[in-house]
Amino acid sequence: MGELSPLPLRPSYFKFSWESYLPRFDGFLAGAYKFVSELWRRKQSDVMRFVQRVRCWEYRQQPAIVRITRPTRPRQGETPRLQGQAVYRIRVRRGGRKRPVPKGIVYGKPKHQGITQLKFQRNKRSVAEERAGRRLGGLRVLNSYWVNEDSTYKYFEVILVDVAHNAVRNDPRINWLCNPVHKHRELRGLTSAGKKCRGLRGKGTRHHKNRPSRRATWKRNQTVSLRRYR
């Protein structure tokens, strides 16, 4: 038998590195939080669809309002790393609003006899903030974000702040929330979700009737202002 020929040497430019198997975005090596945040930007990928389906099953087994140890979305809930802040997951039932009348009977004009196909004026995220603020009266709502949903419920995580905590009162980035004027800001439409359903996201001539509010604009237009005779 003839001798086996030696294996060809690998070219010098071929080098194995574990970094080639790590996720990269925009040409830079990504860390764990960057990788998770990029996954959240691809919610229809196979990985996120499977993870969200499993998480949604877990959420259904838990109460409607439950405190969590860390935010599910790292980019959205970066601030709760500080002391004096907490994150709660809120469950809100999907669908429109049904008129709360006994047996579906409205003793009034036919105009007001509709029971179904009515829509609530505020979005579900604002409702979640309201329920969190009412349940946890000693904390103040900072913001919230969507985390999951199924056919029956939507799940939001609400960031709440303890304004009596020294770490919060001494932090110039968040101590503006300690001012008494921000008490129950979620009930007055002052959070991001509240401003959206008030129509304050847009600017310009198409949205000038939304400021300071639609009701205030209507009242100003309906009021006759005359110069006083002296």
Side-chain angles (χ1 to χ4, degrees):
M1 296 178 63
E3 297 182 35
L4 296 176
S5 60
L7 294 175
L9 297 177
R10 290 187 299 178
S12 59
Y13 58 83
F14 182 83
K15 294 182 180 180
F16 176 79
S17 174
W18 282 107
E19 294 185 357
S20 60
Y21 288 88
L22 296 178
R24 288 177 177 268
F25 298 102
D26 300 331
F28 296 96
L29 190 62
Y33 277 100
K34 179 65 176 178
F35 184 62
V36 174
S37 62
E38 288 294 331
L39 276 178
W40 275 99
R41 295 180 60 185
R42 295 163 172 80
K43 298 181 180 62
Q44 290 186 341
S45 62
D46 294 339
V47 175
M48 282 302 296
R49 291 177 64 181
F50 174 76
V51 171
Q52 289 291 82
R53 188 165 72 247
V54 175
R55 283 176 177 168
C56 205
W57 173 86
E58 180 186 4
Y59 296 165
R60 281 195 296 266
Q61 320 305 319
Q62 297 176 350
I65 301 179
V66 59
R67 182 176 180 178
I68 58 179
T69 57
R70 60 180 60 88
T72 304
R73 301 179 63 174
R75 293 286 298 179
Q76 301 289 340
E78 286 180 333
T79 50
R81 302 177 191 175
L82 305 177
Q83 290 182 331
Q85 301 190 14
V87 186
Y88 281 80
R89 185 172 54 246
I90 314 297
R91 185 181 68 200
V92 181
R93 184 175 287 270
R94 299 179 62 174
R97 179 181 182 272
K98 189 176 181 180
R99 194 185 300 275
V101 290
K103 299 181 181 179
I105 303 174
V106 178
Y107 297 96
K109 300 178 181 179
K111 173 184 177 181
H112 300 130
Q113 287 180 349
I115 304 301
T116 59
Q117 301 186 10
L118 304 178
K119 280 73 179 177
F120 192 54
Q121 292 296 316
R122 292 186 288 120
N123 51 40
K124 300 296 183 183
R125 189 156 72 96
S126 178
V127 174
E129 293 177 350
E130 176 188 359
R131 294 181 181 178
R134 290 184 185 276
R135 176 70 66 87
L136 307 157
L139 306 179
R140 293 188 186 170
V141 175
L142 178 63
N143 213 334
S144 62
Y145 49 92
W146 175 93
V147 288
N148 212 330
E149 66 181 54
D150 57 11
S151 61
T152 308
Y153 300 102
K154 283 194 175 186
Y155 301 91
F156 302 92
E157 290 184 3
V158 183
I159 306 172
L160 297 108
V161 180
D162 182 8
V163 295
H165 200 287
N166 286 333
V168 175
R169 303 183 75 88
N170 296 330
D171 191 347
R173 296 173 298 176
I174 195 63
N175 61 4
W176 57 268
L177 200 58
C178 301
N179 196 321
V181 76
H182 294 295
K183 291 181 179 179
H184 287 290
R185 55 199 297 266
E186 74 282 353
L187 301 178
R188 297 177 286 133
L190 300 181
T191 59
S192 178
K195 288 183 178 180
K196 181 179 181 180
C197 57
R198 289 169 58 196
L200 299 180
R201 286 284 179 88
K203 296 181 180 179
T205 56
R206 295 188 178 186
H207 305 87
H208 70 280
K209 290 188 177 181
N210 295 338
R211 288 180 172 83
S213 66
R214 288 187 292 264
R215 187 183 298 270
T217 303
W218 175 87
K219 185 177 181 180
R220 184 179 69 245
N221 293 338
Q222 297 298 320
T223 303
V224 178
S225 179
L226 303 174
R227 297 189 61 183
R228 183 177 178 184
Y229 177 76
R230 299 184 184 274

